């Protein structure tokens, strides 16, 4: 929990520094407009990708297969959407990376390996209902 708090404080400081730096180059009104614009575009993209992933997961379940890759996609899109909704340039970059399908692939592989590792250590327990 300490690492999460420390990273949130560090990220906030970096975002404020980026606002000041970019605001000095292009002006504060352009920075505000850019933040609003990236937020709108990002949340729209996250919504579109989320709906598409949901539909693919439903189709996968109808065909009788597990929607595992789509669940991991959904996790990435959710985290990316939260980043995109948060004002800031660094979080917007991270959010777009997690929402766009081509740049999301390395993170999907990492999350899949992490979940598999946690299941092998019995940190995550799978139970059939």
């Amino acid at each position: 929990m300490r690492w999460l708090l420390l990273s949130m404080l560090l990220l906030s400081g970096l975002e404020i520094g980026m606002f000041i730096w970019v605001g000095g180059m292009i002006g504060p009104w352009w920075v505000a407009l850019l933040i609003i614009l990236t937020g709108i575009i990002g949340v729209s993209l996250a919504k579109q990708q989320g709906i598409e992933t949901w539909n693919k997961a439903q189709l996968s379940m109808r065909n009788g297969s597990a929607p595992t890759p789509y669940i991991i996609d959904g996790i990435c899109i959710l985290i990316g959407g939260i980043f995109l909704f948060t004002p800031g340039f660094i979080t917007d970059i991270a959010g777009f990376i997690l929402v766009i399908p081509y740049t999301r692939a390395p993170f999907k592989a990492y999350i899949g390996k992490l979940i598999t590792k946690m299941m092998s250590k019995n940190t995550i327990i799978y139970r059939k209902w």
Side-chain angles (χ1 to χ4, degrees):
M1 195 60 146
R2 280 183 270 175
W3 291 109
L4 180 64
L5 181 62
L6 181 63
S7 64
M8 294 295 283
L9 289 171
L10 183 64
L11 183 62
S12 297
L14 288 171
E15 290 286 11
I16 291 169
M18 286 289 291
F19 288 148
I20 294 169
W21 181 61
V22 174
M25 290 174 26
I26 64 173
W29 293 108
W30 288 109
V31 169
L33 182 66
L34 197 58
I35 290 168
I36 293 169
L37 187 65
T38 57
I40 292 170
I41 292 170
V43 170
S44 299
L45 182 63
K47 180 181 175 183
Q48 181 260 335
Q49 286 294 310
I51 290 170
E52 185 177 315
T53 301
W54 178 261
N55 291 336
K56 287 180 182 178
Q58 284 183 329
L59 182 64
S60 174
M61 287 187 291
R62 278 190 213 117
N63 292 334
S65 61
T68 308
Y70 305 115
I71 292 171
I72 295 173
D73 266 338
I75 291 169
C76 289
I77 292 168
L78 176 67
I79 294 169
I82 291 169
F83 280 158
L84 287 167
F85 193 69
T86 305
F89 297 121
I90 298 168
T91 54
D92 283 346
I93 291 169
F96 278 118
I97 288 171
L98 288 171
V99 169
I100 297 172
Y102 300 110
T103 57
R104 181 173 57 225
F107 293 98
K108 284 175 36 180
Y110 175 75
I111 290 172
K113 287 177 186 176
L114 181 67
I115 290 172
T116 304
K117 182 179 174 183
M118 291 173 78
M119 287 178 71
S120 68
K121 289 184 177 181
N122 289 330
T123 308
I124 296 177
I125 301 170
Y126 171 73
R127 293 186 184 149
K128 284 190 173 183
W129 297 96

